[in-house]
Amino acid sequence: ELGAGGRPVVVGGDLNTQPADPAFRALLDAGLTDALAGARPLPTSPADAPAKEIDHMLVTPGVVAADAVAPRSTASDHLAVAVTLRLPGPTS
């Protein structure tokens, strides 16, 4: 179960899959949300001429994502992704 115990889950990194691929769809079908959806298309690879969207941030429902970007950089062969996440507050 995702987010067991009511804890939010954040998964991010080079997943080597694009948003239209079955593997990415499987992550969404498992209950994760695409935290970069509002900024797509957001190509990240290769860094010198980004054409593929293979770096991602996925979250459990309730985590709010905003301001996603892939800033230009020469630090890696991919661009990093940055997104502001707001975690859900405690429930009582």
Side-chain angles (χ1 to χ4, degrees):
E1 172 186 343
L2 288 174
R7 294 182 184 102
V9 173
V10 177
V11 177
D14 174 2
L15 302 183
N16 284 318
T17 185
Q18 295 197 75
D21 293 345
F24 190 81
R25 170 88 332 224
L27 294 168
L28 299 178
D29 289 346
L32 293 169
T33 300
D34 181 3
L36 306 179
R40 295 209 185 273
L42 191 63
T44 57
S45 179
D48 60 348
K52 295 182 180 178
E53 297 180 272
I54 61 173
D55 299 278
H56 304 285
M57 181 83 53
L58 299 143
V59 297
T60 45
V63 176
V64 177
D67 306 319
V69 294
R72 294 290 180 162
S73 172
T74 58
S76 173
D77 61 332
H78 293 218
L79 299 179
V81 294
V83 62
T84 300
L85 300 177
R86 190 173 73 239
L87 301 175
T91 57
S92 43

